[in-house]
Every structure is written in C-alpha cells, then in structure tokens.
Amino acid sequence: MDKSPLEEKTASLNFIEALIEKDIQNHKNGGRVHTRFPPEPNGYLHIGHAKSICLNFGLAKKYNGKCNLRFDDTNPVKEDVEYVDSIMEDVRWLGFEWNGEPLYASDYFDQLYVWAEKMIVDGKAYVDEQTSEEIAAQKGTPTVPGKESPFRNRTSQENLDLFRRMKAGEFNDGEKILRAKGDMASDNMHMRDPIMYRIIHKEHHRTGDKWCIYPMYDFTHGQSDYLEGITHSICTLEFEVHRPLYNWYLDQLVEPGYRPQQIEFARLNLSYTVMSKRKLLELVQKNYVSGWDDPRMPTIGGIRRRGYTPEAVRDFADRIGVAKRDNVIDVSLMEFCVREDLNKKAARLMVVIDPVKLVIENYPAEKTEWVEVENNPEDPASGNRMMPFSREIFIERDDFMEEAPKKYFRLTPGGEVRLKGAYIIKCTGVKKNASGNIIEITCIYEPESRSGSGTEASQRKIKGTLHWVDAKNALPVEVRLYDRLFNHEDPGGQEDDFKNYLNPDSLKILSNCMAEPSVKTLKIQDRVQFQRQGYFCVDYDSTPEKIIFNRTVTLKDTWAKVAAKE
RNA sequence: UGACCCAUGGUGUAAUGGUAGCACUGCUGAUUUUGGUUCAGCCAGUUAAGGUUCGAAUCCUUAUGGGUCAACCA
C-alpha cells in the first residue's frame, strides 16, 4: 500500500513540497492542492519547461490535487495555434494529463475587462496617452524614482469613457494605455504605475476580432489563478519581483479570503547547450540545425526525436531537484538517466557502423549457419533470436589494429577474439589497397568453439568479444551520430557569439553501416542498443527501403578513456 | 550605486539548533561472451569574519560573491 505523502518522513522534501505540506496541515484552502502549467503559445517547449511540467503535474499527483494546462495567450502579436498543439503533444508525451479541458487566459478577457473598469471606477487606474518613450523616461530607473504621468489625475468618468473608446477601437495601437495607480517611487519597478491594457488591432487565435485591447501578463496571471482556484502558482525566479503586484491586483479586485500563492524556483540550465528561445530560434532560422525537433536541440521535440524516453526525462527532472539557487546541471546526468532506462528496455542488435570485411579462411564457402543470441541480457523475458553466420562477415574498423597498445584486447595480427554468439577466431593477415588502407582481414576459426555448444573450446576465456554482421545478409542502413551541440560548457555565457562554440562534430552521418537482418522489423521511434556502441532509435525520416537510426547516447566507454590517455 | 533573492565536494541536492548524507562526474578494483550492466571502494564540501548557544551548514550582524528588476513580452 502507498503511504500518504505526509507519512513519508524518510524522503526529504524540496522547499515547495515542505510549504505545501505545511499548508495541508494548516488546512489552508481546505487542504486542496491545485497547480497549473501556464505556457505562452509562442514557441516550442524545451527541457526547462519539462522541469516545470514535471514539477507542477508531479505535485498535483503527489498530493492528490489537480493541475491545469493554461495557455497564457494575452499577446496576439506573438502567439499562434501551431504552438498550442505542439505544447499539448509535448505534455502528453511526458506522460501527464491535465485537469479537464485545456484552459486559456483569453477565456477570462470578459472578467478581466470588468475588473479593469472597477479599477477605474475605484480611482485606481487611469488612461495614459504618452508615448512609450515618454513613459519609459518618466518611469525612472531602479535607483532613481519615477515621476507621475500628467494624465494620472483624470476623473474616473473621463478614464472610463476613454477606456471604453479604446475597447471600441477608436484609437490606434500605442495611442493610449490603461495604467494602474501604483507608486512611482517604489523600489520595485513593477509597482510604478504598471500597464494593465494596451491597444493591439490584431486577430487573436481564440477570440478572433472581438478585442482590440489586451491585458498585460501582470493584470492577467494572478486573476486567472484566482478564477481557476489555483492554490500554488509556481513560476521561475525572474517573476519574484512581480509577486507584490500579483498580490496587489487581487487585493484591489476580490474579497479577502482565498488567495493563490505565487512561489518561485530556479529555472533549469543545462551544460553544453543554450536554452533561450531567442538563441534556439536563431539556430533554427540560420539552419545550424534541421529544425525545432533536430535531435541536438534541447527542445522536448528534439529530445524525443533523439530517442529519449519520457521515463528518462521524468527521472531526470526528479534527480535535479527544485531549489532557489541558480544552477547548471551537467548534461551527463541526463545521459545517465536515459542509459539507465534504456539498459533495461532496449533490445540488443548487432550493427557495424564502420565496416571492414573479415574472411574466415577455413570456413566452408557455401555454408550459412544460424547462431542464437540474447535480445537483452538485462531482461530474460526478452528471449533470444537467430543470426546468420558465414565465411565473410563485417566487423568494426576500430576493432582491429595492426600495431596495438598493450591493453588493447580486440583483434590484432596473430591475436584471438570471440565473435559474440559465434566462434573464436584468430587473425592470419590483412589485405590493403594501393593507398595502404586495410580492405580485408583474414582469420581462421576454431570450429569447436561455437557459443553455447558447451564444448571446452567454447568456454575458453578470451579477453575480447566483437560484434559482427554476416556479409551476405547484412542490411545497409544510415546512422546519424549525434553529439553535444556545443563544445563549451556555457556557450551562452561568453563574451563572444554563442555560435562560435558550436561543435563541428555534433552530427556525423554514416550511410554505409551494416546491420543484422532483424532491423527490418523495427518501426519509427523504436529504441534499440547497438551492441558495444550505444542506444539508437529509428528516425522519422526512415523508410522500409532506407532505415535511418539516430544515436541517442553512446554506451559508457572505458576503453575510449584509456585510449585517449595513451 | 537602490530594492529583492541566493550561497553545502567539480556538478546538483539533503540535513528544518544535535554524527554533513545521497546522486552524477572522476579515479581504483572485482565480475562479465557488450571495454556495457552489476558489485566493492576512493577523491572531494558548509564563501568569510564576528555574535547568540552546552551545541550553528542551520539563528543574528557585517562583509564578499552570484542573480533579478528600468517591453505597450511572458
């Protein structure tokens, strides 16, 4: 039986959970927990949003509460339905289902308008008709107090009339705005007569041409939370300074009592990538990547296409924790999470990425036999499969060296190696072309050494085991080797352009890889392990004629480290 | 030269006045028909100085460092 979260004293809580548990114990809001994920539909979601999604939906789940999906769509200039659909897809892919229908801040435009008029009638808001430059100039700076607008003391009647005419479309964009009467000397810039409404003659993706005035974020978010009965309104640190305004608007508009509480946490930063919408957009627009879902992008679409599982992403979100201090998570933690998940789930396959032909001289020319190999040693239920084996096979070019360092235990001239699932072979020579490149390796095999035969020869201890593919039955496939997009830990935080730190080797396309015949049964997005190499998934571009794999992540490679040191 | 927020190993995160722990990374070693997995172990931390206290990572003060705030963006 699951214990209630409140009884689980053993697990430590993050500061938001601690706060929520205190609220539940104090029976605040009747002990309800209701969160929301409030994206603006003006771009694609990235791994930072995934942290927020896991947090908000995860909290609701943990405390038997609800989590709304609410699109913060108050600016028709930037927003589009295209994004709404992709955001819903991403949230669902991560494995979460929102409470009821998707909600929209634009659903509350009528109520917000009523509230705006109330502010005017109460003498707490006024119509300003200065230019944005004038307003900015008189707003002061964080260290210099602002000055009051010359339009600040109009009568309520005049303000109401002007505001209604704004709504009626009598003015052009930017001609007039509605401002709240805050405090132009406040240390908090957001309290210096914040703008409530602006004129935008633009069709809205949901309300069409009903409105030509649109509320600002600050005049929308808290009220939306209030209307939805949100208890804990979780957002990132940069909204901390907005909190006084968030609370102030509600205090002006609604009866004392229930209030949603804004709580801020530190956004996710990941090493070796950029997260800002602007920079990601630039990568797409200038074709440094193939699109928003390029497998190198930190977007949820990119991560999905790369082959990450939702489970791995959720586990990652769990492990990075939630706190208020700025942080940079090492991307190797994310790689760890996906390896750990895929190790349990991914079927093993033999694929030779950089093939070189190997001929077994003492193996009959016409013979093909079938050998049995495990699908996944970590999952006995996954069973075994048969692979063809014959005189000519492909092995990895890296798995042979004419002059090898001491700890190299793959194939060398005169050396022995085991072909996984098949026989022990011994190298007898190499053939090279005119330019000195190896074109063929020759070996002899030990006929008694077949794997699983139980013979003494088959049980001999051999240091190296290679993956291989039967040449006659090999299927050529394309493999896209992805690596980190940037070769600097913090490409966005440098003096010069972040694009100077793009990793030139972030994508290598190899089109002559040789796969075992069973790859034919794979479908788009299937995830597998290429034995000894890494985890791969079948790309969207794949067709039955041309199978294409994306490398999700390499296997940990102890040898690569040793070799690099030599 | 203002207000607010933050400060624990390389990274991230716990310890809620009472033994500084966990994970990732890195490094050893064992096991292994994946140089994978698994297992065992190691390196490494409370920004500083005062104060309160029997006792401080935790509370207070100051300093230092980092972050946020001056869109008719969210």
Side-chain angles (χ1 to χ4, degrees):
Chain A
M1 285 303 283
D2 281 350
K3 275 183 289 187
S4 107
L6 293 175
E7 288 165 4
E8 282 176 358
K9 292 298 181 195
T10 47
S12 64
L13 305 174
N14 65 48
F15 79 100
I16 299 179
E17 292 169 328
L19 203 144
I20 288 177
E21 295 202 357
K22 209 174 104 203
D23 288 345
I24 293 173
Q25 270 160 5
N26 296 338
H27 215 65
K28 184 176 171 183
N29 300 316
R32 284 187 310 117
V33 173
H34 200 157
T35 57
R36 99 269 93 108
F37 174 62
E40 183 186 14
N42 73 339
Y44 295 93
L45 262 29
H46 55 59
I47 185 74
H49 295 108
K51 175 181 181 182
S52 174
I53 291 167
C54 292
L55 216 208
N56 278 295
F57 284 93
L59 251 15
K61 192 174 212 170
K62 179 168 181 179
Y63 296 106
N64 296 312
K66 295 172 178 168
C67 182
N68 294 353
L69 173 64
R70 179 172 76 229
F71 292 97
D72 222 334
D73 57 350
T74 58
N75 186 355
V77 175
K78 293 188 171 181
E79 294 147 10
D80 198 281
V81 275
E82 173 196 359
Y83 300 116
V84 169
D85 296 337
S86 98
I87 288 168
M88 292 197 288
E89 183 190 3
D90 288 348
V91 173
R92 284 209 179 95
W93 179 76
L94 277 171
F96 297 106
E97 194 49 58
W98 46 88
N99 174 46
E101 293 297 307
L103 303 173
Y104 297 83
S106 53
D107 294 341
Y108 314 129
F109 281 173
D110 287 307
Q111 176 63 59
L112 289 166
Y113 180 80
V114 169
W115 273 330
E117 286 209 348
K118 172 179 163 55
M119 293 274 290
I120 293 171
V121 170
D122 292 347
K124 291 170 181 166
Y126 63 98
V127 172
D128 199 341
E129 41 195 280
Q130 301 177 95
T131 65
S132 60
E133 293 75 26
E134 286 168 330
I135 290 173
Q138 86 188 176
K139 198 161 191 175
T141 70
T143 52
V144 179
K147 295 189 190 70
E148 295 191 348
S149 163
F151 299 96
R152 200 174 199 256
N153 295 311
R154 292 199 220 252
T155 64
S156 291
Q157 200 41 250
E158 194 182 353
N159 282 319
L160 199 55
D161 174 61
L162 283 169
F163 186 51
R164 286 178 177 169
R165 287 168 61 197
M166 280 167 65
K167 178 181 179 240
E170 290 188 27
F171 308 112
N172 294 322
D173 289 10
E175 234 175 275
K176 292 187 170 42
I177 52 162
L178 184 69
R179 294 178 81 179
K181 283 191 194 174
D183 172 8
M184 291 306 288
S186 173
D187 284 323
N188 185 335
M189 296 291 288
H190 297 277
M191 298 304 289
R192 323 243 266 223
D193 288 12
I195 294 170
M196 295 164 61
Y197 268 88
R198 74 287 214 196
I199 300 170
I200 302 175
H201 289 274
K202 175 121 203 288
E203 193 156 306
H204 185 278
H205 73 111
R206 300 217 90 212
T207 60
D209 58 6
K210 179 176 177 186
W211 299 90
C212 63
I213 55 171
Y214 292 93
M216 299 285 291
Y217 165 85
D218 286 305
F219 192 68
T220 306
H221 206 91
Q223 290 96 308
S224 301
D225 286 341
Y226 179 88
L227 291 169
E228 293 176 13
I230 300 302
T231 55
H232 304 268
S233 179
I234 299 165
C235 61
T236 46
L237 245 33
E238 66 267 28
F239 289 96
E240 203 152 26
V241 280
H242 293 246
R243 190 175 356 121
L245 185 53
Y246 177 106
N247 293 329
W248 185 76
Y249 276 134
L250 284 176
D251 288 343
Q252 309 314 306
L253 297 172
V254 304
E255 293 302 307
Y258 153 71
R259 286 288 186 282
Q261 180 185 0
Q262 178 179 308
I263 305 162
E264 310 87 13
F265 72 99
R267 61 155 15 105
L268 165 69
N269 296 293
L270 244 197
S271 63
Y272 296 99
T273 192
V274 292
M275 211 73 92
S276 94
K277 220 171 255 180
R278 199 208 95 229
K279 293 192 177 94
L280 293 174
L281 178 67
E282 191 177 346
L283 292 173
V284 173
Q285 285 182 336
K286 297 187 177 165
N287 293 311
Y288 290 100
V289 295
S290 65
W292 284 99
D293 66 347
D294 184 295
R296 291 164 293 183
M297 292 282 274
T299 51
I300 295 181
I303 288 166
R304 174 167 59 230
R305 188 169 184 178
R306 178 82 169 245
Y308 274 73
T309 58
E311 290 83 355
V313 177
R314 278 187 258 127
D315 180 41
F316 174 67
D318 222 52
R319 287 170 184 268
I320 60 179
V322 178
K324 292 192 76 162
R325 87 184 84 147
D326 293 321
N327 61 85
V328 182
I329 306 291
D330 197 324
V331 69
S332 65
L333 178 61
M334 198 161 97
E335 294 171 345
F336 167 83
C337 291
V338 73
R339 280 194 194 103
E340 186 176 63
D341 189 39
L342 257 19
N343 178 49
K344 291 176 296 195
K345 297 175 181 167
R348 272 58 171 170
L349 241 41
M350 294 210 208
V351 177
V352 177
I353 288 181
D354 183 13
V356 61
K357 186 181 274 189
L358 185 149
V359 178
I360 303 165
E361 293 170 305
N362 60 339
Y363 194 93
E366 301 309 317
K367 184 176 171 186
T368 292
E369 65 184 305
W370 290 78
V371 300
E372 190 169 23
V373 289
E374 290 173 295
N375 286 324
N376 184 349
E378 302 298 316
D379 176 17
S382 67
N384 298 336
R385 69 182 185 287
M386 304 304 287
M387 282 181 66
F389 178 86
S390 63
R391 180 183 164 91
E392 297 193 356
I393 61 172
F394 293 112
I395 66 163
E396 212 68 58
R397 204 165 270 278
D398 277 355
D399 284 340
F400 176 81
M401 279 183 96
E402 276 191 286
E403 286 170 45
K406 14 343 35 307
K407 286 196 202 148
Y408 186 85
F409 42 87
R410 303 178 186 178
L411 199 57
T412 54
E416 275 186 324
V417 91
R418 186 190 302 276
L419 295 174
K420 184 159 180 76
Y423 297 93
I424 294 170
I425 56 172
K426 181 177 196 167
C427 177
T428 54
V430 293
K431 289 182 184 160
K432 298 182 182 176
N433 62 14
S435 43
N437 295 319
I438 296 170
I439 51 168
E440 189 179 297
I441 299 165
T442 52
C443 289
I444 52 170
Y445 84 120
E446 164 59 73
E448 295 298 305
S449 68
R450 179 170 163 160
S451 295
S453 63
T455 61
E456 205 173 306
S458 74
Q459 287 166 0
R460 260 174 64 209
K461 293 287 175 203
I462 297 288
K463 197 70 171 151
T465 300
L466 307 187
H467 62 281
W468 52 273
V469 171
D470 179 46
K472 258 187 300 200
N473 293 283
L475 208 68
V477 297
E478 176 175 315
V479 175
R480 299 175 178 174
L481 299 177
Y482 290 102
D483 201 347
R484 296 168 184 183
L485 226 203
F486 294 91
N487 49 27
H488 192 290
E489 247 183 55
D490 180 19
Q494 305 310 302
E495 299 260 310
D496 51 339
D497 194 299
F498 73 102
K499 298 191 298 304
N500 294 343
Y501 300 94
L502 279 162
N503 174 9
D505 300 319
S506 63
L507 170 59
K508 282 184 200 149
I509 298 178
L510 301 176
S511 37
N512 291 310
C513 309
M514 292 296 175
E516 63 167 273
S518 72
V519 298
K520 275 182 285 200
T521 61
L522 295 176
K523 303 181 299 293
I524 303 284
Q525 280 270 280
D526 278 353
R527 304 179 184 95
V528 293
Q529 183 196 96
F530 288 0
Q531 200 94 202
R532 300 209 298 137
Q533 310 204 73
Y535 296 98
F536 294 77
C537 74
V538 181
D539 189 72
Y540 306 151
D541 291 344
S542 195
T543 64
E545 293 71 40
K546 186 186 181 194
I547 303 176
I548 300 173
F549 291 96
N550 295 328
R551 183 170 69 195
T552 307
V553 66
T554 62
L555 254 29
K556 273 176 72 177
D557 191 347
T558 313
W559 168 245
K561 282 179 196 163
V562 175
K565 278 183 196 166
E566 301 278 326

